[in-house]
Amino acid sequence: MWKTVLRRILIMIPQLLILSLLVFILAKMMPGDPFTGMINPNSDPKEIARLRQEYGLNDPVWVQYTRWLGNMFHGDLGQSYIQKVPVTSLIWDRAVNTFWLSLMTVVLTYLIAIPLGVTAGRHQDEWQDHGVQIFNYITYAVPPFVFYILGIWLFGFTLGWFPISGSVSADVNPGTFAYFWSRFYHLILPSILCSLISTTAIVQYLRTGIVDNKVEDYVRTARSKGVPENVVFNKHILRNSLLPIAAFLGNTITGLLSGSMVIESVFSYPGMGKLFLDSIGQRDYSTLTALILLFGVLTLIGNLLSDIIMSIVDPRIRIK
Amino acid sequence: MAKDKNTSKKDQNAKTSLPPSGFKIIVREVWRDKVAFVSFCIIVAILLFTFVGSLFLNKSQVTEINIAEAYYAWGESGHVFGTDDGGRDILKLLMMGGRNSILIGLSVTVLCEGIGLLVGLFSGYFGGVTDAIIMRIVDFIQILPMFPIIIVLTTVIPNYNAGTLVWLISMFGWTGSARYFRAFVLSQREREYVLASKTSGSSNLTIIFREVLPNITSAIIIEVVLAIAGNIGIETTLSFLGYGLPTTTPSLGTLIGFANDPVNVTTRPWLWLPATILLLIISLSINYVGRALQRAGDARQREN
Amino acid sequence: MADEIIEIKNLKVHYPIRSGFWNRVTGYVKAVDGINLSIKEGETYGLIGESGSGKSTTGKAIVGVEKVTNGQILYKGVDVTKASNRKKLNYNKDVQMIFQDSMSSLNPRKRIEDIIAEPIRNFENLTTDEERKRVQELLDIVGMPSDAIYKFPHEFSGGQRQRIGVARAVATHPKLIVADEPTSALDLSVQAQVLNFMKHIQQEYNIAYLFISHDLGVVKHMSEDIAIMHRGRFVEIGKRDQIYKNPMHIYTKRLLSAIPVVDVENREQHKEDRQRVEKEFLQDQDKWYEKDGRVLPLQKVGDRHFVALPKDMIQQELKEGE
Amino acid sequence: ACGNNSNSKVDNPTKSFKSATPKKAVKKGGTVSVALESDTPFTGIFLNELSDTQNDTDAMAPANEALFDTNDTYQINDKGPATLKLDNKNKTATITVKKGVKWSDGKQVTAKDVEYSYEIIANKATKSSRYTESLQNIVGLSEYHDGKSNTISGIEMPDGDNGRTVVLHFKEMKPGMKFSGNGYFWEAAAPYHYLKDVPFNKLQSSDQVRKNPLFFGPYKMSKVVRGQAVTFVPNKYYWRGTPKLNKVTIQVLNPNSASQAIKSHKYDIAGVVNSQWKNVANTNNVNWIANIPLGYSYLGFKVGKWDAAKGENVMNKDSKMNNKSLRQAIAYGMNVSAVTKRYTNGLTFHIPTLIPKQFGKYFDKNVKGYDYNLKKGNEILDKAGYKKKGKYRVQPNGKPLTIRLAAMTGTSTQEPIIQNYIQQWKKLGLNVKLTGGRLMEMNSFYDKVQNDSKDVDMFMGAWSLSSEPSPNDLYSVKAPYNFSRFVTAKNTKLLQEMDSEKAFNTNYRVKKFHEWQKYMDDEAYVVPVSNSYSVNAVNSKITGYSLKPSAANSLWYNVGIAK
Amino acid sequence: MEKQSDLLLDIEHLHTAYRLHGKFYDAADDINLTLKRNEILAVVGESGCGKSTIASSIIGLYDHKNTKVTGDILYNELNLVNLNESLFNKIRGNNIGMIFQDPLASLNPLMKVGDQVAETLYYHTDMDEKARHARVIELFNQVGMPRPEEMYEMYPHELSGGLRQRVVIAIAIACKPEIIIADEPTTALDVTIQAQILDLLKEIQKESHSGIVLITHDLGVVAETADQVAVMYAGQIVEKADVKTIFQNPLHPYTRSLLHSMPQTDDESQDLHVIHGTVPSLVNMPRTGDRFAARIPWIPASAHEENPKIHEVEPGHFVRCTCWQSFHFQDEEKKG
Ligand SMILES: Nc1ncnc2c1ncn2[C@@H]1O[C@H](COP(=O)(O)OP(=O)(O)OP(=O)(O)O)[C@@H](O)[C@H]1O
Ligand SMILES: Nc1ncnc2c1ncn2[C@@H]1O[C@H](COP(=O)(O)OP(=O)(O)OP(=O)(O)O)[C@@H](O)[C@H]1O
Ligand SMILES: [Mg+2]
Ligand SMILES: [Mg+2]
């Protein structure tokens, strides 16, 4: 298997190169540049031109690309034009935030989705099932941001139960319990809202899995062994139905780092999604290319992880 | 003469004994399932409301700004659903917007599913190297972060409108359905009727389109129906992030996008709520119909 | 004497196994590994073997839907392993196939008329009326009511469907039909219908069959010549009686002994025989096979009777047989 | 819409605005939280010489004090941490830091600290964006920048590094030099003793700048949550005395959430988004503290091109928009007052000229600008030969006339407002289309406008101004920011006179300003559109908060909780 | 249960009906069967005649919402019909073992085969884990699996069809049940393996003295293994006797026709016998009169009983309807 994994990783390299070139060109095609935002009567246009020159933005695109690529092979993703810090440190900062938010979201998602899916599958076509389905359809059809904004309005402002922006409050010291609590407290509302609407796919897969597996022959075999019904359900039906969800896991894990543009901008949460949107708005090329590339890598790793996970949990599948 | 009569009678006969796998089973299944039937009626009603309704509207009139009438609430001055920030009538915007969004959803679906179907058919049927190459391309496109790239492209493309939006979304959307259809084709290819056709001397193209394709129609119908439901709402998220359509092109996305501003969420629900509910109803209805179709498809699967 | 209509020389079909770091071909499944066979006009050639022995692969290679790794299939003296040659000859007009699973071999979305007419449309230029007439005739031949042409496959029972499959196979008046387990999915009485029927049309149109099955009773009923296949090769070929009355290879004996016999009185006896053969088969593998488990080359032991055994053993067997 | 329960505070907000909180007795201690409204995180470069975003400036405000206090017309006075003496004859400015002005680590602010700012700004390695043409008026600065010398020859420290006096030598003296924000010299100091060990190229990412910056203002930064929040505690060495509060926190808030934050009192001080005024107007326990910032929005017409080689604007006499009547008619077609009233209840208002009222005498109140008048617009067009052909007018030469308008995205009401103007112009028979079919985001907008794109005939932009009133940077031949690219002899002459030697005479300068405003009003190359109040919701328990220019430098020293 | 009676299973008037389009249709119609210790009872018949229906009724595994079972299935005086689930769970796997047709589908793809066997032991014995493991190995030996220790760790897809079926058998016999129900245990296998599996079943039966219900449609299999045979047609038992009688003196027209259509005759040139018509589906099944009558139309209607009963024509030989007395094959007609 390790050989296979290694091979898959090798195959990723050309894919990423193409992706990086694509992204680089796209980024350069966007109107404006990092210094467009500096236009105001207090800044000297000549100075802006000078900075452009100094940052190498006047070079031909391919020169910029090869320079960027060369630096990247040395682990240097460049300096953010806007934040004026190395992109790696910037991303690292945001990735940590996003990681916690996504982790909470994922955990909650599974905590909510699995019981729902199980209920729906077990009571197929009964009222429980219909209830779950309606919930599912609603969370699927209502645009997420409407959901988030209503949530923030109700729980953040009107009821005042939760903070409404940021990742931590300003007046706590890192390392203390208060700090930890504050971070957690900031996560609760966004992660609950986010998880509520991301349950759809899992619930659906689980339900279908259970409905399908219920009538499989091996379930009949289990019953013929005299296995009690609830064990039949948990040990045989449920476990087998969880397989397709296990396949999600890989992508979910890497999704932990990509963040969600929508939730992060609604909550002004300084994560990867927000960073991405900001870097587009501010034409922060270095951050932008690094991010898209990172998203690409994460997707690839996610697919690989999914395959590995599947091959671990499902003995029938061996990754080739 | 007599023979002719005979055949025509048989033809009638044939019509009545269409296999329950076709259109009939769908109708039957939808009719039997009351929720699906009601949903179907709702869809028809919405289509009438948006498409026929829009016929009576003049686009430039609907999107005309009248600042004096901005922000009328429900029912004020004859605006049933109030007006938006430019004094445009929400009800009329809803009609046109609904139509536009449905059209966008349909076009995206047609493009994505069309390309996906072709790719899936060829890739699945020929297998081997063809399949390997196509699937690598699909893999590559799937690792592209779709939303980020769409957003970048919307800022790059000079005259960004509904058409370009459709193309942009479809550019990424087809891969999923290609994979999906390919899986079906693969399972069909295993069936011996494909071999039988080969030994009967049919060409590959004939086999793909005349033999395999009809057998995955129910999968296609289901996929397409469910995809429409998903695609109608697809521009709303873009609108939220600020990369949606211009307001001169009313759409559900631009209407729901009013919810972007919390002030509107809390104090002017008429701006975004009707569109949200309309979108919800459309999605729900299509989903319920899709479900019934899926059951019809399953029933067929069992019969096979 | 009947002429040979197809001759197979040293046919090999190997499927590559890929593995290793670069996913390179590291080995082959030798599904068919060098068989020689010739089928005569109007005769039935039976092909028997356990699951996975390569029977279907052989059949598919003959009709030209499986890529041949090596060897020749000569039809009218032309090597038809090349697709271009098949096309030139309208090969599949003359060589057709009947499949095991009648449901999956009929396109569920097509009417019977279109199913049966497919080879006619591809190989012959008939007007619509002529074509319909022909389809009606064919249905008539296979004993189906004429209104069947407007129906769909799922409206028929298994036996009927199999007959439709046969009708399609004979539509272009082929000279050879490869029948791959045509009745294994059918009930006893339905099987009888289909088998009878296949025999009838054979007599009527002088069709040759390559009849593939693992049911020895059925093969015996159908075929004059029989080949026993194992691990992609033939272990024994011969006339029906030679095989059934005087089997020489242990594998043939094993197959034969495993057939359930409707002879309640002697069933204990059968069981003992069976187990004795099984034991022999398991014990002396290298006596019967090459060291790497492959089947030995065939040796002639009688008129049209060949067996894959070393010469010395053949002598011994022959003596024992006497 | 909800006109029936008319509420004066809602409909006529400006009446309830004050520029400072009521004076009350202050109690010691307390915490104040401030919302920093921004939809992006702040950068967090806490060094005046390197920071180039307003967010950073706002985020360090309680700790950051400038060298000079000003009066309400931005004229530098002697009340601040340092004094300024201008010598026109010798072309020098002498800055003297007061004794006792100390960094928050207790060290006196020295001449070297003042001088070091210039080093940071001018040194190439720091990549500071503050190295401007105006500053190069200081003798020796560009030589230092180009590496030709190791010191800045035009900056003298007569009492040595540790003295408190710095003498700046200028190549030329400017009338604006006595005003704060003029850009001719730097108004801050950098803690040399604290920064000297940091190489210039590392400065902007160093902890000394990012995490633990040093200031001499009333508070010092105690903690920075990168991009999100800053916490301040009192600077016990502060030269004016002890600040009142125990703690100040500044936190980034999405402007979208501003109104809700105000209503729910999440922050003690928060800005009001003007279009959300109605939602917050009835909030209790807040004082509305407002001022009118220096700046305006405008409609510009493209009549030429920037010649990069020559570094100057070149007007194209034959360009489509180079027709005074057309421009005037377009200006008459804008129902600015109706729009501002509708969407902001007057918090945004129509302005007549390009010099803001806040500049006092320099503002010419006789210039009336263009009020909405379709009839007049139509007349002008008719007279000028723009005949109607079908729905729209054609150019006098008979060619069809389509005017492409570039406009930026902004607040949520920007879209209807622009569409509204387009409709008004349609009533004049003018066919106006948006460049690109929709509002452009900022980058695309400036990309097109700055590069004189063919797709732009007119554009709606906005400038925020420094406290020095001269419009030279925006409208002169040599100004790249003269996006209209109009160049006329009269304009050039007026602008030059404004900043000439003679203009040290204030009356002369005022006269020239008035002449220029009249000229610009008539020519209408750039039509002023509107300006807005900037309103802050300040918790009524807070006292000492003021938006008066004279209070700016000592603002945070004065803010406290009322007893 | 010191003294065990020889009668293991007594099925009386069993009716099993499935709900189709809202109505219940009997798929097993008045079934009377007995199974004795040391006996293999074969139930034969063509596809769809209700064989599996009987099996699932005995072991109580059917969809309770859409299936109606009435009558008695007595096991040691315990009526299994509509027995309480938890009680039934004590019996399933323990007293009654079941072997299914498709060995791949019948095994959980995600569990090691050894664990699947051990699971039965877990619910019916108080063995600890080690003991269970040992017992599984013992069972694997018993069913003739090579390298049982290794096999324990395998997953179903890693085994060949024959080995999988052995695992399924091991599951069924793990607790030495008194009754084993084998529903077409060899249909999916090829001849040599089929023979091995059948031999194995017989051995097991010999050793454990259990009773086996063997469901099949292959008359050869019946001849090789069964002691008692019940021939089914359209939901009913049409003939029941010991195996010798069935093959040597078949009476019911259906039994005779089936035997006749086997390709076992030595004269290959002759046509095989074909039974006229087709098997009726559940919904179209005639509910009155002789269900087989339609397929032997040349036998006059008067020969059939109006409501065919099953008759004991000689001791231990039961035949439904009296039509057998006047039955002859169509081509024998002339001979009279
Ligand atoms: N496409 C393929 N790729 C790889 N191996 C294959 C392929 N098709 C068949 N094989 C292998 O070739 C061998 C022969 O297969 P074949 O289908 O000819 O057997 P068969 O005798 O027809 O068996 P059965 O009685 O089960 O139909 C088997 O081991 C099979 O696994
Ligand atoms: N769950 C069910 N619901 C409805 N009808 C059923 C159900 N199960 C079986 N049947 C019908 O009952 C009849 C008897 O079915 P059963 O499975 O017992 O036949 P069988 O003799 O086992 O056939 P086979 O040899 O094909 O396994 C058939 O007509 C079948 O279609
Ligand atoms: Mg085969
Ligand atoms: Mg069955």
Side-chain angles (χ1 to χ4, degrees), chain A residues 220, chain E residues 46-53 55 101 183-184 215 217:
Chain A
R220 193 179 55 177
Chain E
E46 284 175 284
S47 183
C49 66
K51 305 183 297 290
S52 301
T53 302
Q101 169 174 2
D183 189 355
E184 315 218 14
I215 291 171
H217 62 246

Side-chain angles (χ1 to χ4, degrees), chain C residues 15 29 31 50-57 181 214:
Chain C
Y15 297 111
V29 178
E50 66 183 18
S51 184
S53 55
K55 308 183 294 292
S56 300
T57 310
E181 313 206 21
H214 59 239

Side-chain angles (χ1 to χ4, degrees), chain C residues 16-81:
Chain C
I17 304 170
R18 289 174 186 277
S19 64
F21 186 75
W22 296 109
N23 216 7
R24 271 196 294 229
V25 178
T26 52
Y28 292 94
V29 178
K30 300 183 173 174
V32 177
D33 194 21
I35 58 168
N36 296 287
L37 161 81
S38 59
I39 301 171
K40 295 200 178 65
E41 228 165 71
E43 286 194 0
T44 304
Y45 203 106
L47 191 55
I48 318 176
E50 66 183 18
S51 184
S53 55
K55 308 183 294 292
S56 300
T57 310
T58 309
K60 286 180 192 165
I62 292 175
V63 289
V65 291
E66 192 74 72
K67 210 172 159 284
V68 169
T69 312
N70 209 333
Q72 288 179 309
I73 299 172
L74 297 177
Y75 174 72
K76 292 183 177 164
V78 182
D79 184 1
V80 290
T81 54

Side-chain angles (χ1 to χ4, degrees), chain B residues 63-73 76 85-88 154-155 157-160 243-244 246-248 260-263 266-268, chain D residues 1-2 256-257 259-260 263 275-276 278-279 335 338-339 342-343 412-413 415-417 419-420 423-424 426 435-439 441 444 448:
Chain B
T63 56
E64 185 164 286
I65 303 282
N66 186 350
I67 57 167
E69 297 206 338
Y71 297 135
Y72 278 139
E76 254 181 77
D85 54 7
R88 291 164 286 209
T154 53
T155 60
I157 292 175
N159 244 322
Y160 174 62
Y243 300 91
T247 40
T248 41
N260 199 352
D261 186 346
V263 175
T266 52
T267 60
R268 303 184 191 116
Chain D
C2 8
N256 272 335
S257 304
S259 70
Q260 282 159 321
K263 281 204 284 193
S275 58
Q276 295 176 1
K278 264 198 209 152
N279 290 87
N335 54 344
V339 166
R342 179 78 228 170
Y343 291 107
S412 54
T413 50
E415 174 92 36
I417 291 174
Q419 291 296 340
N420 157 68
Q423 272 168 228
Q424 300 306 328
K426 194 174 162 193
T435 306
R438 56 174 182 164
L439 299 186
E441 49 87 54
S444 314
K448 286 220 148 57

Side-chain angles (χ1 to χ4, degrees), chain A residues 140 220 272 303 318:
Chain A
Y140 169 75
R220 193 179 55 177
M272 301 278 272
N303 291 344
R318 277 225 231 104

